[in-house]
Amino acid sequence: MDLYGRRQEQAALDRILDGARRGDGSALMLWGDPGIGKTALLAYAAESATADFTVLRCRGTRLESGLTFAALHELLWPVADRISTLPEPQVKALRAALGNSGDVADRFLISVAVLTLLSDLAEERPVLLIADDVQWLDEPSAQCLAFVARRLRSEPVGMLLTGHDDPAEGPWEQLAASEVRGLHDDDARLLAQAVAPDADEVVIRRTVRAAAGNPLALQELPTSVAAGDTSAHPLAGERIAVGPRLRRAFRARVERLSAPARTALLLIAADDRSDGNTMCQAGLVLGLDTVAWDEAMHSGLLTTRSDGRICLRHQLMGAVVYEEAPTTDRQAVHRALASVLTGENADELRPWHLAAALETSDGPDEEVACLLEESAHRSWARGGCSTAARALRRAAALSPATDDAARRLAHGAKAAWEAGQADVARDMLERAEGLSSEATVTELSDGLRGLIEFAHGHMENAARQLTRDMERVADPGQAFKLGSMALRAAWAAGHGDLRREALQRLERRLSQGDVPNADLLPLLRTWWTDDQRGGVADQDRAVAPGREALARLSGGSWLLMPPAPLAVAWGIEPELGETLHRGIDELRHTDQVTALAQALAQTLTLDVARGSWILAKANGLEGLRVAREIGDEQLASQYRISLGLMAAPRGDEQTVADLAARTIEMSAPRGVRLLSAAAQWTLGMSALFAGRAEEALDLLIRLTEDGHHAAHPTIALLAAPDTAEAAIQAGQPATAEEQARLLRRWAERSHAAWAVSATHLVQALLASGADAEKQFRLALDVPGAPSRAFPYARTRLLYGEWLRRNRRRIDARTQLAEAAETFRRLDAAPLLARTRAEQELAGQQPRRDSVPARDARAVLTQQELRVARLAAEGLTNREIGTQLLISPRTVGYHLANVFPKLGIVSRADLARVDFEDGLRLMD
C-alpha cells in the first residue's frame, strides 16, 4: 500500500508481525483523531499478513456498542466452526456469548475460551487480530479483547487496535500505545496530489492548510474544492479544527445526492450489522428503488465488507450521515428496519430500533418497553450486564406505569452493579426511589444499595444500610445474606456496638419466618459476640464452629461463613479451608472466575497462617491481578495483606511498605479498619524482624488504640504475640502483660491451639528461671500448635535464645536447628540470620546453603510455580490454562522453562517435587 509519511508506524507494525511469526505475541493500540489514518495502517498490516497469517477483524460501531458481544461475534465469525473443539465449559460459554445458546456464562470464562481458540489457531499459522474503532466496541467484547491482549507474550498472535482517545485509562491501559499524529505538510501535499491529480496548486495548498494533516480530510476535500464547491466547504482562512471541516465536507457530499439515495445511506448508517437482504427489504418499506441504491453505491461513500455486508466507507461518515439527517427520517428508517428484521439478531436489534423510532416522543410505549426488558434479560444471561443496564434504563423511560419504571430501574441497577458500574447503579437506584418507595426499591434490587456501600462506600454506613435492608426484603434467605453482610461490615469497621445491634436485629428478623439453616443462628452469635475492647465477653465457654456447620452454610453462600481472619482467630482454619476448597473445586469446574477470586482470597489467609507460603505467594500475586481486572479494590487489598504478611518475615521492607500504603490509602477513608489494621500489623512485624523493637511497638500498639484508623480487635488479637515480643524488647513489660491477658481470655474462650500456645509463650517471655522454661515447654507441647509452622519456629527460636543465655548450649542447639530449618524453608531471612547468629554463640556451625547445589537453578517465577504445582496434580495443559486464565500454549511454554530449572525431564517427575520445602526432589 502507498502510505504517505507513515514509515515509523509501518516499522512498528512490522515488528508486531515479525514477533508473532517467531512466537512472541504482543498488542499495540494506535490512537488519534478521527480520520488520522489509523484504519489505513490496519489495512497495511492486514495486507502484509495475508500470505502467512490467519487474519480476524472486527470494528466497533455506534449502534452495536449497546449489543452484547457484537464485536466478538464479528471477530470470530470466520472461525466459528472451530469453537466446538474447545473444552466443553468453554464451548458453552462462547456459544452463549455469541447468542447460540441460552446458557449463562462468566465473562472471564468467555475470555479464556477466546484465548484458547486463538492459541489453537496459532498452532497452524500465526494469527493477527484487528479491532478498529475500539471506542465503539460493546463493553463485554472490549473487556474480552483486553483480557486476551494481556496474555499474548508466548503466543504467535499479534493484536492491533485503534481508538480515538489515549488509552491511559480503561480496559486498554496496560497495552503498548502509539499516537498517530497528523502528516507533515510535505507528505500531506503528496497525498492530496495523489487523490486529485488534476487539481491546481491553489486547490492543493488550500486543501493541505484546511486538512491540518488529517489524511481522511486530505482524501475527501480536494475533489470538492477542485469541483469549485468552495461555498459548501469554507476552506479560506487558516487552520481550523478537522472535526467541523470533515463534518461539512461529508454533509456536502451527501447533500449532492437525491433524497432517496440519502435515505439509502441513512438506512445503512442506522444499522450496518444486518445483511443485504434486510437492507433491501427495509428499503422497499421506505419506497427505495434500484435507482436510489445504484446512486448510493456509486457515491463513493459506501464499501462492501468481506462478509458481503454494505457499510459506509468510514465510521465518521456514518456518524455524520446519521446525525445530520432529520429526526423524522431517522425514525422512519428505524421503524422500517424493525419491521423486516429476521434471523438470530432480530430479537436483540428490533427493540433498539423501535426505541430509536420513539426518539422525540414524550409518550410511553409499554410494548417496546417489554421488548427492551426481555432483550436486557437475554443479554444479562449471556454476561452482557452493561448492555442489560442500558436496555432497562431505556425501558424504564418508556414505561407508562411508574411501578414498572421503578422495577426496571431497580433491576437495571443490579445489572449495572454486576458490570462494575457503581455510579450508574447508584443513579438508577435514585431514579427508582423517586418513582417508588425506598422499601420497594430495596426489595426489587435485593438490597443493592447496602451492597454498593459495602464495596465502595463507608463501612459503618454499609452496616447500617444492610441492617435496614435486611428488615425490608421479604425473602428470608436474602434477609439472612444481607444480615450476614451487615455483620461483616460492622466487624470490618471495628464497631462492636454496631455489630451487636445488627446481630440482635438479624435474630428478630429470622424469627419471623422459615430460614434455611436457622438452627445455626446460635453459632453465628458465637462468632460475632466478642468484646472489641477486652478480647471476649464474660460468658460461658463457646464452642468453635465445626466442619458440618460450615459445610451447611457454604451451601447458601460462602459469604455466610466466618471471614478468614476470624476463622484463624478461632483456630478453625483447617475446617474452613476444607469447606472453601470444596466450593473452589466446584467453581473451577464451572469456571466462575470472579467468585473463584473471592473465595481464593479467603483461602490465601488460611494458607499464610499454616505456613504454605510458596504457593500462597504465587496465588496471591495471581489473585491480586484478577482483583484489579474485575475492579474490586477491596478484594485487591485482601490479597495485598496476605502478600505483606509473607513479605515482612522475609525482610522485604519496601514491599511491605508499598502494599501497606496502598491498602491504607483505600481503607482508611472508607472506615475499613480491618484492612488498615492488617496493613499496620505488617508494618509492625517488618520493623520487629528488622530489630527495631521501639518502632514496632509504636506501630502495633495502635491496633488497640480507640479511634485510631488501624484499631481492630481481631487483628489486635492475632498480632498480640508480636506486640508482646516488641514490648519486652523495648523494655515495656507492662504492655506485654496486657497482651498476655488478652491472649489468655481468648484462649479460655476459644480453646484455639495457637492462642493457648501464644499465651504460654508470652508468659515465658515475662517469667524467669524454671517457670519460664515450663511455659516455653507448654507452648511447644500444645496439640495442634506445630500446624502453624512460622509461629512455632519463632517459639523455638525464643526458647533457644533463652537456653543459650542460661548456658544450656546443647539444648539450645536442638531448638535453634529446628527453627532455622523452618525459617530456611519459608525464606524468612531476618529470622534465619538471627537464628544462625544464636547457633554460632551456642557453638554450632549453622547451615549456610539455603538449598542443595542441585537445586540452585530452581528459581521459578510465580506463574511457573503455579503451573508446575497444577501439572504435578495431573491436570492437562488445557485444564491448567482454564484455571490460570492463560492459553494451553502458554502453559507448555512455562513447563518448558520449569523442567531445566528443576533438573527434571518430564511431567511425571513433577510428582516427586516437594513444593513446600525448597522444591527438592523426593526419593
Side-chain angles (χ1 to χ4, degrees), residues 613 646-653 686 689-690 790 797 819-837 848 850:
W613 289 4
M646 291 180 286
R650 288 173 166 170
D652 191 351
E653 294 194 68
S686 186
F689 300 147
F790 180 65
L797 168 60
E821 181 60 22
T822 299
F823 294 144
R824 182 202 63 78
R825 177 173 63 81
L826 297 177
D827 195 24
L831 290 169
L832 180 58
R834 175 176 160 185
T835 306
R836 285 173 170 168
R848 290 296 178 184
S850 60

Side-chain angles (χ1 to χ4, degrees), residues 6 33-37 182-183 188 191 211-219 242 246:
R6 297 304 188 201
D33 293 334
I36 205 67
L183 299 176
L191 176 56
N214 186 288
L216 182 59
L218 289 165
Q219 293 178 62
V242 172
L246 282 173

Side-chain angles (χ1 to χ4, degrees), residues 527 544-546 550 562 566-577 606 752 788:
W527 293 341
L550 292 171
L566 196 58
V568 171
W570 275 99
I572 59 169
E573 63 268 23
E575 292 82 359
L576 181 61
L606 309 181
R788 294 192 181 186

Side-chain angles (χ1 to χ4, degrees), residues 712-922:
H712 194 277
T714 303
I715 301 302
L717 176 66
L718 295 173
D722 300 319
T723 308
E725 183 179 346
I728 290 171
Q729 291 184 17
Q732 298 187 31
T735 301
E737 289 172 355
E738 292 176 3
Q739 301 303 308
R741 286 192 292 271
L742 173 65
L743 286 166
R744 183 169 57 253
R745 284 195 296 268
W746 183 254
E748 290 172 351
R749 180 183 178 197
S750 68
H751 304 288
W754 78 270
V756 176
S757 180
T759 300
H760 290 304
L761 173 62
V762 175
Q763 289 175 340
L765 295 175
L766 289 166
S768 60
D771 186 47
E773 181 168 16
K774 175 185 175 182
Q775 294 297 330
F776 275 125
R777 295 306 313 175
L778 287 172
L780 291 171
D781 292 340
V782 172
S787 65
R788 294 192 181 186
F790 180 65
Y792 197 73
R794 288 178 64 192
T795 300
R796 286 190 178 277
L797 168 60
L798 292 167
Y799 184 28
E801 289 175 333
W802 183 88
L803 289 168
R804 198 270 307 164
R805 288 195 301 270
N806 284 272
R807 301 182 182 278
R808 294 170 56 184
R809 295 193 300 173
I810 295 177
D811 292 336
R813 293 171 189 171
T814 301
Q815 300 300 328
L816 295 171
E818 292 291 341
E821 181 60 22
T822 299
F823 294 144
R824 182 202 63 78
R825 177 173 63 81
L826 297 177
D827 195 24
L831 290 169
L832 180 58
R834 175 176 160 185
T835 306
R836 285 173 170 168
E838 284 291 327
Q839 286 179 298
E840 291 179 347
L841 292 173
Q844 183 180 18
Q845 184 63 37
R847 174 180 171 180
R848 290 296 178 184
D849 56 321
S850 60
V851 293
R854 182 196 61 187
D855 291 336
R857 295 168 294 142
V859 181
L860 305 185
T861 67
Q862 300 303 318
Q863 191 73 310
E864 287 170 353
L865 178 61
R866 288 167 61 82
V867 168
R869 184 66 176 266
L870 293 173
E873 295 174 3
L875 275 68
T876 66
N877 284 13
R878 282 203 169 190
E879 291 170 336
I880 296 171
T882 297
Q883 290 197 25
L884 302 186
L885 311 181
I886 58 179
S887 72
R889 177 186 289 271
T890 302
V891 174
Y893 169 82
H894 286 310
L895 286 176
N897 291 329
V898 166
F899 290 165
K901 288 183 177 182
L902 295 182
I904 60 178
V905 295
S906 70
R907 297 171 78 99
D909 291 334
L910 286 172
R912 299 170 49 220
V913 175
D914 186 350
F915 286 92
E916 297 298 334
D917 193 9
L919 301 176
R920 296 170 172 171
L921 283 177
M922 299 179 292

